Amino acid sequence: MRTQVGIIGGGPSGLLLSQLLHLRGIETVLLEKHSRDYVLGRIRAGVLEHGFAELMREAQVAERMEREGQVHEGFFIAHDGVRDRVDLHALTGGKSVIVYGQTELTRDLYEARDRLGGRVIHNAEDVTPHDIATQRPYLTYRLGRQAARIDCDFVVGCDGFHGVSRQSIPPEHLQVFERTYPFGWLGVLSRTPPVSPELIYATHERGFALCSLRSSTLSRYYIQVPLSDTVEAWSDEEFFQELRCRLPEDVARAMIIGPSIEKSIAPLRSFVAEPMSFGRLFLAGDAAHIVPPTGARGLNTAASDIYYLYHALLDHYLNGDDRGLEGYSQRALARVWKGQRFSWWMTMLLHRFPDNTPYEQRLQRTELAYLLSSQQALASLAENYVGLPFA
Ligand code: PHB
């Protein structure tokens, strides 16, 4: 088989890129190692910035997002038994975010690919990029016992942190920057009305907590837990008891509790691999970088990668101009690092760090007090939360 752009990974990044390119007449084949049901069974992020929504519109897949997604013009920071509202709309001159689950937008993208007859191959095993340093890269994979090969002009790796794409760059050409945090987030999805129509980020001496949502009937809650904890060790009752304990009393009292329909622990980590391209292989999203979830930057940073790569590929195919492809890594990384900085800052601001000295604890409290007392500091938070411009 031959195509123009071979894409590895059928998450939102790979699907969005294949959809955008298809609409401009550029052929893609997308290889995904799991089944579609598996991909759509994963509970992931839920906060979309303006630029992401714009890309969904350009890809002609925004209809359900516009209808069912919720526009959020602010969120709360809870601390010391009270909560302060961060007015995103006022602080950014009218910007907001959309709460719409990654699972839902992935479903919308699959449906759009089906409608246009996009080539999406599921259960592709042993996907391997070859000759990426040459002008003629190709991909091999297996479907059951059937081996197959796709020749392409470019390979795009959207296959996540554990994917094969980044690993196929020779290690001497890759520099890795990493930070791990001594805790994770225990997350629960429950079919209950959310306790607050807007997100609540809570800091407490027992640890961080977050009240989020997917819809008016679906709540998503998180608490900071030690890395040694397991999902099995937390019953639903214990989870909600701990969550309520970290929230202001009025919020805790108002919370409606129900059985979890999903429960998982995600360790927090920051990771960047540089450069984000090698020869004719280009990395996007989690394949190249990871952020802790605190600033809701993960999916949104993947979207800016796709934006740069999409325009670079358009310039190559429609204008014969390769400057976008040559500059992709540098351009994407400039924004990736701003997302890293913001996620790190929000993580440091709101979590309990077991090894912090009393001095560091005072500094952390002062950072929060300063933030909440300064319109300039709040404006900086808001500007980053709604998403820095792509250009
Ligand atoms: C979520 O709803 O899953 C969520 C929202 C905001 C975050 C992280 C996760 O910062």
Side-chain angles (χ1 to χ4, degrees), residues 132-370:
I132 50 175
T134 74
Q135 305 280 81
R136 291 190 176 71
Y138 63 98
L139 296 167
T140 55
Y141 63 100
R142 248 182 343 96
L143 277 181
R145 270 195 241 123
Q146 190 81 36
R149 165 174 170 149
I150 301 173
D151 291 277
C152 40
D153 301 333
F154 301 101
V155 175
V156 178
C158 303
D159 49 348
F161 183 69
H162 299 286
V164 68
S165 301
R166 189 181 68 255
Q167 289 162 28
S168 45
I169 298 178
E172 65 273 21
H173 289 278
L174 214 55
Q175 197 177 0
V176 161
F177 302 85
E178 195 165 16
R179 179 189 184 108
T180 54
Y181 298 84
F183 43 73
W185 281 14
L186 171 62
V188 157
L189 187 70
S190 98
R191 210 169 288 290
T192 50
V195 68
S196 162
E198 292 185 340
L199 274 67
I200 304 174
Y201 291 83
T203 182
H204 189 274
E205 60 190 24
R206 295 179 63 89
F208 170 81
L210 171 61
C211 304
S212 182
L213 64 154
R214 290 291 175 276
S215 70
S216 59
T217 54
L218 208 51
S219 304
R220 181 71 166 154
Y221 296 118
Y222 299 94
I223 55 172
Q224 173 188 351
V225 294
L227 281 176
S228 50
D229 277 18
T230 59
V231 171
E232 296 72 40
W234 285 89
S235 67
D236 290 353
E237 292 70 30
E238 286 165 324
F239 174 86
F240 280 107
Q241 190 181 358
E242 184 62 34
L243 173 65
R244 287 164 107 170
C245 169
R246 298 180 187 187
L247 295 167
E249 242 182 81
D250 58 324
V251 180
R253 238 183 293 117
M255 183 174 286
I256 296 173
I257 285 169
S260 63
I261 49 181
E262 195 265 355
K263 193 190 285 170
S264 53
I265 294 183
L268 267 65
R269 83 159 47 183
S270 302
F271 175 92
V272 182
E274 295 189 0
M276 285 173 58
S277 62
F278 179 76
R280 291 199 155 212
L281 169 73
F282 297 87
L283 303 178
D286 288 4
H289 43 78
I290 300 278
V291 283
T294 324
R297 290 302 85 198
L299 179 59
N300 290 307
T301 305
S304 63
D305 295 348
I306 295 304
Y307 174 90
Y308 298 133
L309 201 46
Y310 166 53
H311 286 280
L313 288 164
L314 286 186
D315 279 343
H316 170 84
Y317 283 111
L318 307 184
N319 308 322
D321 180 352
D322 280 348
R323 281 173 304 176
L325 287 173
E326 285 156 14
Y328 166 70
S329 176
Q330 202 184 358
R331 202 166 171 217
L333 281 167
R335 195 170 185 281
V336 162
W337 275 108
K338 290 177 186 160
Q340 291 281 328
R341 185 205 69 83
F342 179 64
S343 306
W344 161 83
W345 174 79
M346 265 197 76
T347 302
M348 300 298 284
L349 179 72
L350 298 173
H351 289 74
R352 188 177 164 273
F353 286 77
D355 294 333
N356 264 4
T357 62
Y359 178 83
E360 288 162 327
Q361 288 167 19
R362 279 285 197 279
L363 275 189
Q364 189 188 32
R365 289 193 62 81
T366 307
E367 180 79 28
L368 183 63
Y370 166 66

Side-chain angles (χ1 to χ4, degrees), residues 10 15 34-44 64 102-111 122:
L15 289 164
H34 295 292
S35 69
R36 187 175 298 200
D37 283 346
Y38 178 92
V39 175
L40 292 174
R42 300 188 294 210
I43 309 295
R44 294 282 169 89
R64 194 160 69 97
Q102 175 173 329
T103 313
E104 299 312 311
L105 73 88
T106 305
R107 190 189 309 280
D108 299 342
L109 281 161
Y110 273 128
E111 280 168 14
H122 281 281

